[in-house]
Amino acid sequence: MSSMENGAEASARGPQRPSPKAPERPHPVTLRDVAEAAGVSTATVSLVVNKKKDARIAEETRQRVKDAIRALGYRPNAMAKTLVSGTSKFIGLVADGVATTPFAGQIIHGAQDEAWKHGYALLIANTEGNSELEQDAIAMMLEYKVRGILYSTWFHRQTDIPAPLREADFVLVNCFSNEQGARAVVPDEVQGGRSATELLLAHGHRRIAFINATIPAPAKDGRLAGYRQALENAGIPFDPDLVMEAYPDQEGGYLATAGLLERGAPAVFCYNDRMAMGLYDGLREHGLSIPGDIAVVGFDNQEVIAAHLRPPLSTVALPHYELGAAGVRVLLGIDPAPGGPAKIHCPAVERASAQAQAHA
């Protein structure tokens, strides 16, 4: 086709629109832009941005710079400040499964709220127990010059400290180490077991069974110790025959029903809420009511279980939110770190299942 024919075809199609251009990215606002808008030097803007209170800048000038910053939308270069100070406004949180467990995810919530309160943001890595991923996550946080790292596990246990973590200021959350000087915040399992038993004692129960876990853990030992303390404080002799063990899940609680009925205790403290849920099923199969025949208390306060059982389950809450918040406070030096792990109070949550027997 000739050029004349091409021109005729183009005329037939009508005037052509120019090809659309990609939108230009806005030019980032610089210190110089702010200085020109405020009518001051870049050095003056720098002093205001970095909040140098001892700088001799008239309040009217300082306010003019602030107004220009706000009007232009200027944002300081955080990475440049990090290079100068050697640290950033980030706090790292490395967890082995906290983000995927609904109630333990409150650790992140508590840490994030407390970090924001003190001008920090949270960098979160959920490793699912993958040691290689854990090492990489800690290395990345160190590269970002984080202020420190919270290292958390989804259940309370002793842990080994990963080697890269030792390069940072760190606090263990919901776990602990026997290494000298390792700071940690953990639930107060002994106090929690005592409070759970006291819920039943408060309703006049004197013969109280305890269904403990079969799996070794700080919670198993601590909750048993708290149970014994509560009985001792009430002047009730400890009866080892009233302590049973079951797998700490719904099936374990269900299978423990027969042993509980053999002991004839009218009240029972279960190691956790899932165990209590299974016990509910077992007691109903035997035609027994809660709390009319047997009063029940759990532990954990898993809202999807405890608040929605019928009757609602009295329990003791694991303080996940406060564990996260306390970890940040210890990291920043706001709360002093005790010689051992800082123990966080586990509050009792009383509902209908802990009341006294109807005929009592």
Side-chain angles (χ1 to χ4, degrees), residues 153 155-160 172 174-179 217-218:
T153 57
F155 72 93
H156 180 191
R157 62 179 175 86
Q158 185 173 342
T159 190
D160 295 324
L172 305 176
N174 207 34
C175 55
F176 63 95
S177 169
N178 288 331
E179 289 191 24

Side-chain angles (χ1 to χ4, degrees), residues 283-315:
L283 293 176
R284 287 202 178 94
E285 283 189 5
H286 284 81
L288 299 172
S289 68
I290 302 167
D293 294 304
I294 296 181
V296 181
V297 167
F299 203 110
D300 289 350
N301 195 33
Q302 289 192 339
E303 286 289 337
V304 293
I305 297 174
H308 300 290
L309 288 174
R310 291 294 176 266
L313 178 66
S314 292
T315 185

Side-chain angles (χ1 to χ4, degrees), residues 110-181:
Q112 181 174 273
D113 285 354
E114 193 68 25
W116 274 118
K117 190 185 299 182
H118 301 288
Y120 289 86
L122 212 60
L123 288 178
I124 303 167
N126 189 53
T127 66
E128 296 296 334
N130 183 316
S131 60
E132 186 176 342
L133 179 58
E134 181 178 88
Q135 302 264 338
D136 290 345
I138 295 172
M140 179 205 70
M141 291 176 181
L142 292 173
E143 289 173 9
Y144 274 88
K145 305 291 185 184
V146 293
R147 168 60 181 80
I149 297 175
L150 305 181
Y151 182 84
S152 181
T153 57
W154 78 269
F155 72 93
H156 180 191
R157 62 179 175 86
Q158 185 173 342
T159 190
D160 295 324
I161 300 172
L165 195 62
R166 302 174 193 278
E167 299 178 40
D169 192 11
F170 69 90
V171 174
L172 305 176
V173 177
N174 207 34
C175 55
F176 63 95
S177 169
N178 288 331
E179 289 191 24
Q180 187 72 24

